[in-house]
Amino acid sequence: MKQITDFTIVSRKQLGDHYFALTLRHPDQLPPIAAGQFVEVEVQGNRDVMLRRPISIHDVDPTANTLTLLIQIVGKGTRQLAQLQEGDRLNLIYPLGHGFAVEGQHPLLVGGGAGIAPLLHLAKCYHAKGIRPTILLGGRTKDLIPVREAFEPYGELLIATEDGSLGEKGMVTQHPQFSAAYDHICTCGPTPMMKAVGRYAVERGIGCEVSLENMMACGIGACLCCVTDTDEGHKCVCKEGPVFDALRLKKWMGLE
Amino acid sequence: MAKLETKIHNITLKNPVMTASGTFGYGEEFADFIDLSRLGGIIVKGTTGERRQGNPYPRMAETPMGMLNAVGLQNVGVATFCKEVYPRIKDIKTNILVNVSGSSIEEYCSVAEQIDELENIPGIELNISCPNVKKGGMGFGTKPDMAAQVVEAVRKVYHKTLIVKLTPNVTSVVEIAKAVEGAGADSVSLINTLLGMAIDVERQRPYLSTITGGLSGPCVKPVAVRMVWQVAHAVQIPVVGLGGIASAADALEFLMAGAKAIQVGTANFMDPTVTVKIVEGLEDYCQRHKIEDINDIIGII
Ligand SMILES: Cc1cc2nc3c(=O)[nH]c(=O)nc-3n(C[C@H](O)[C@H](O)[C@H](O)COP(=O)(O)OP(=O)(O)OC[C@H]3O[C@@H](n4cnc5c(N)ncnc54)[C@H](O)[C@@H]3O)c2cc1C
Ligand SMILES: Cc1cc2nc3c(=O)[nH]c(=O)nc-3n(C[C@H](O)[C@H](O)[C@H](O)COP(=O)(O)O)c2cc1C
Ligand code: FES
C-alpha cells in the first residue's frame, strides 16, 4: 500500500561536494520496503520545481523507523533539497515501484554515481538471507563514490575509478573481478554502464536485474510519461520498474 | 452543510470535482491515497480503437509552473478496456466517464458505440484535439465544420451524455463550442493542453522526442479561465472547466466563470490527495460565505 507522509529529518550528512544523505523518521510505523523501491519527494521553496523528484531508498532502519536517501546534486530540485536541515519536514509518496528479487547465491551488485543508492538496502537484504554479495562501485574519481564503508559489513567491496584515484583504474566492466563467476547481477547507475553490464549478463545467460532512472511526473503509474522500451512494448518505469529483468530490455540494450 | 451537487446533462455529480483524462490513470492508481467515492467523477485515460504505444521517451518536461507532455494516447485499446479494465472499476462509487479518442470519424464512432454498451459508464468525453488525424493532419477540434462532423456522427451511435473536449489551440474557441453544440453535444469541457515547446540548451536539443508537446499545470490557468468564461456566455449547454486547477480557490474561479463542474489534472502529480482537499475547500468556502447551494455562485461573473 502506497502512502503519503510527512517525515522528519533526523540527520543530514554532506558527502563531498556533490552528494548528501538525509535520514528521515516516519511518525508511526514504516511499512515493509523492498530493495530498489523509491520515494517521490516534494520539493518546497523553489517556484520552478513543481513536480516531485524520484529518489531511491538507500537504507531502511525498521527499529528506528527511519529511511535514508542518498542524493546527488544535479539541478534545481536536488540543489533545493540540499538546503534542508535536521528537524525540517519532508513529504514523501512511498514505497513506489517494483524492487529487486534478491536472487542468486553468488550475486554481483554493480553501481555507478547516484545509482549506488539502492544497492545498500539491497546488500543488506542479501546479508539477511545469509548471502554475501560482491559489491562493485564505480565513478570517474573517488569523490564521486560517496558511500563506501557502509557497504563493508554486508559484502565484498570493490572499487573502480576512471582516473585510478581509488581501487582499480578504469570502468566497472574492466575490473578484473567483474568477470568472476556470479550467478546473478544487479545494476543501477549511468545508462551506458547499465547497458554494458546488462549485455554482458544476457550474452552469458547470467540472471540480471537493471534499475532504470527515467524522468517521472507522477511516480504511481497514472501519467505514462516514464516509459521504457521493453520486449512487450512501452512499460512504466515507476510501476513495472524501476527494476527490470534484463531479458525484457534487450531492445533497450541494443541486443535486438 | 452546503449543497455541492451539480448536474451535467443527465449526470448528477455529488460535487463539481472530477479528474482530468490522462492524469488519473483508471482511478485505481489513487485508491491508496484517497477515497475515490468522494469525487464528483473520474475521466479515465484516452481510449482508442486499437492498443497504442504512444510516442518515444522522453515525453515529459517540467517547465515553470507547468509541464509539457507528449504521451501520444498510449492506451490498451477499447476492447481490452471493456473486457479487463471496466470490470475492475465499474463499482467505484462515482461517475466514471471514458475519454474517447481517435484518428478518424469511424474510429471515434466505433469506440463510442462499444462504450455505450457499458452500463456503469454514464457518459463519454470526446477528445477532438488529437493532432494525428487522417484528414490533412489537422485536428478535428481546430475547424468548426470538422468538429461538427465528428460530433454529429458520434451523436448518432452514442445515446448517453456526450461531452466534447475542446482544444485551446484555436483562434476562436467560441466558434468551435457553438459548432459542437449545434451538432448535438450535451456539454463541452475545456481546456486540453496548449501546444508548447522547450529546449535543453546544454545538450542543444528539444526536451521532447516529438519536439512539441502539450502544456498543462498552473501556468495555463488564466488562459483556461478566460476561455471557459467566453464559452459559458456563448452556449446553452453546461461547460466543464479545467486547466491548472490545484486548489479550491482555483476551482472557484472556473465555477464563477461559468463552469458547472471542474477537472483536476497535473495537480494530482504534485499531491495525489489534492482532489479531496478541493472538495473540502469548497465546503469550507460555502460555509464562510454562507452559500447554501454551490450552483448559486456558478456563472456569477
Ligand atoms: C526511480 C529513480 C530513482 C532515483 N534515485 C536516485 C537517488 O537515489 N539519488 C539521486 O541522487 N538521484 C536519483 N534519481 C535521479 C533523480 O531523480 C534526478 O537526479 C532528479 O530528479 C534531478 O532533479 P533536479 O531538479 O535536481 O534536476 P533538474 O534541474 O530537473 O535537471 C538537471 C539535469 O538532470 C537531468 N535529469 C533530471 N532528472 C533526471 C533523471 N531522472 N534521469 C536522468 N537525468 C535527469 C535533466 O535533464 C537535466 O539535464 C532517481 C531517479 C529515478 C527515476
Ligand atoms: C500526462 C498527460 C496526459 C494527458 N492525456 C490526455 C488524454 O488522453 N486525453 C485528453 O483529453 N486529455 C489528456 N490530457 C490533458 C488533460 O486532461 C487536461 O486537459 C490538461 O492537462 C489541462 O489540465 P491541467 O492543467 O489541470 O493538467 C493529458 C495531460 C497530461 C499532463
Ligand atoms: S511517472 Fe507517471 S506513469 Fe510513471
Side-chain angles (χ1 to χ4, degrees):
Chain A
M1 171 124 173
K2 300 179 197 96
Q3 307 190 4
I4 176 166
T5 305
D6 278 339
F7 282 71
T8 306
I9 299 173
V10 292
S11 125
R12 181 200 184 283
K13 267 195 220 130
Q14 187 67 36
L15 301 162
D17 290 343
H18 306 284
Y19 286 86
F20 61 100
L22 297 175
T23 298
L24 309 166
R25 186 164 48 231
H26 190 283
D28 326 296
Q29 186 63 48
L30 269 182
I33 292 170
Q37 286 191 302
F38 67 98
V39 303
E40 278 272 17
V41 185
E42 182 185 58
V43 182
Q44 289 201 334
N46 183 335
R47 293 168 134 276
D48 281 345
V49 183
M50 180 188 74
L51 297 169
R52 289 170 181 263
R53 295 298 191 256
I55 302 290
S56 302
I57 297 169
H58 177 52
D59 199 5
V60 181
D61 184 340
T63 47
N65 246 336
T66 58
L67 54 81
T68 300
L69 309 178
L70 173 66
I71 303 174
Q72 181 181 21
I73 301 168
V74 299
K76 49 197 183 301
T78 47
R79 207 173 301 123
Q80 186 70 28
L81 292 172
Q83 306 299 315
L84 290 165
Q85 305 288 332
E86 280 171 27
D88 288 349
R89 56 146 223 114
L90 193 62
N91 186 270
L92 307 184
I93 303 178
Y94 70 101
L96 303 177
H98 166 91
F100 289 99
V102 197
E103 272 176 8
Q105 294 301 311
H106 301 286
L108 171 68
L109 319 185
V110 187
I116 73 172
L119 301 186
L120 182 60
H121 186 35
L122 178 60
K124 287 187 170 187
C125 290
Y126 273 112
H127 183 78
K129 284 178 74 176
I131 293 164
R132 223 179 130 72
T134 300
I135 303 151
L136 173 54
L137 306 180
R140 259 183 296 121
T141 72
K142 79 175 197 302
D143 295 340
L144 294 172
I145 307 179
V147 178
R148 299 187 288 267
E149 292 77 13
F151 283 95
E152 274 163 0
Y154 306 103
E156 188 193 348
L157 183 65
L158 307 171
I159 306 279
T161 51
E162 286 173 43
D163 68 351
S165 53
L166 193 72
E168 291 286 330
K169 185 169 161 66
M171 317 254 231
V172 286
T173 46
Q174 293 166 326
H175 194 287
Q177 292 298 307
F178 175 72
S179 45
Y182 304 103
D183 60 358
H184 195 78
I185 301 179
C186 301
T187 184
C188 186
T191 303
M193 186 202 88
M194 290 195 286
K195 286 186 178 175
V197 173
R199 277 198 297 266
Y200 170 87
V202 167
E203 280 164 1
R204 285 161 187 78
I206 304 169
C208 180
E209 293 172 284
V210 178
S211 185
L212 301 183
E213 298 203 336
N214 285 13
M215 272 180 287
M216 297 182 174
C218 73
I220 58 173
C223 73
L224 308 186
C225 286
C226 63
V227 293
T228 186
D229 236 345
T230 72
D231 298 355
E232 309 106 68
H234 279 156
K235 297 289 176 195
C236 286
V237 170
C238 71
K239 195 173 163 188
E240 304 214 16
V243 178
F244 288 91
D245 187 323
L247 288 175
R248 295 177 71 189
L249 299 179
K250 280 195 264 180
K251 213 161 113 193
W252 177 80
M253 294 186 300
L255 283 176
E256 263 172 15
Chain B
M1 200 166 355
K3 177 171 167 281
L4 290 189
E5 195 177 287
T6 64
K7 251 184 128 177
I8 301 294
H9 185 239
N10 287 332
I11 304 177
T12 302
L13 309 173
K14 65 186 83 162
N15 61 62
V17 181
M18 301 199 273
T19 60
S21 178
T23 66
F24 208 69
Y26 293 115
E28 305 162 297
E29 290 81 355
F30 288 81
D32 282 351
F33 304 108
I34 57 169
D35 175 359
L36 297 172
S37 73
R38 297 282 306 274
L39 303 175
I42 296 173
I43 316 238
V44 303
K45 238 168 243 181
T47 299
T48 53
E50 300 298 326
R51 168 183 217 95
R52 287 204 196 183
Q53 286 297 325
N55 292 316
Y57 178 86
R59 51 195 200 182
M60 180 276 280
E62 190 180 38
T63 56
M65 291 309 274
M67 63 179 277
L68 290 165
N69 91 82
V71 170
L73 292 179
Q74 178 175 332
N75 77 102
V76 295
V78 67
T80 307
F81 174 80
C82 294
K83 208 162 89 223
E84 290 172 22
V85 183
Y86 173 68
R88 296 202 307 259
I89 63 173
K90 72 180 180 40
D91 295 320
I92 299 175
K93 292 200 165 25
T94 185
N95 294 296
I96 310 262
L97 311 192
V98 176
N99 181 265
V100 170
S101 300
S103 311
S104 64
I105 291 185
E106 303 85 75
E107 187 178 0
Y108 279 113
C109 289
S110 153
V111 177
E113 248 180 316
Q114 293 174 66
I115 303 292
D116 204 23
E117 303 287 313
L118 305 177
E119 197 188 330
N120 293 3
I121 306 286
I124 59 173
E125 180 179 63
L126 200 67
N127 174 11
I128 56 164
S129 19
C130 168
N132 315 306
V133 292
K134 249 190 211 168
K135 268 195 179 166
M138 187 80 78
F140 281 104
T142 58
K143 286 255 160 62
D145 55 330
M146 279 175 66
Q149 221 182 322
V150 63
V151 172
E152 243 165 53
V154 170
R155 181 74 285 176
K156 285 200 189 102
V157 298
Y158 189 75
H159 306 98
K160 299 185 222 170
T161 298
L162 174 59
I163 305 171
V164 179
K165 186 164 179 179
L166 306 180
T167 169
N169 303 311
V170 292
T171 316
S172 167
V173 70
V174 166
E175 216 183 315
I176 311 279
K178 282 185 169 161
V180 302
E181 179 183 39
D186 299 318
S187 166
V188 286
S189 59
L190 67 159
I191 59 173
N192 208 319
T193 54
L194 279 153
L195 197 60
M197 179 170 166
I199 297 169
D200 182 341
V201 296
E202 289 303 323
R203 295 189 179 86
Q204 306 189 349
R205 62 182 191 217
Y207 278 107
L208 301 176
S209 68
T210 48
I211 303 175
T212 61
L215 182 67
S216 65
C219 60
V220 309
K221 192 186 68 176
V223 176
V225 173
R226 181 267 294 178
M227 288 189 164
V228 164
W229 177 75
Q230 287 177 318
V231 169
H233 282 277
V235 298
Q236 304 304 312
I237 51 179
V239 175
V240 179
L242 73 154
I245 297 175
S247 68
D250 296 340
L252 283 157
E253 281 194 64
F254 282 83
L255 296 174
M256 290 180 189
K260 289 279 265 179
I262 59 99
Q263 297 176 17
V264 182
T266 303
N268 290 300
F269 306 157
M270 307 179 264
D271 178 359
T273 68
V274 68
T275 44
V276 169
K277 287 180 184 158
I278 292 174
V279 174
E280 287 165 355
L282 292 179
E283 283 164 356
D284 180 58
Y285 179 89
C286 288
Q287 200 173 8
R288 278 193 294 117
H289 288 264
K290 304 203 173 13
I291 294 162
E292 276 166 24
D293 183 339
I294 193 96
N295 290 285
D296 294 346
I297 56 160
I298 288 174
I300 59 170
I301 307 290

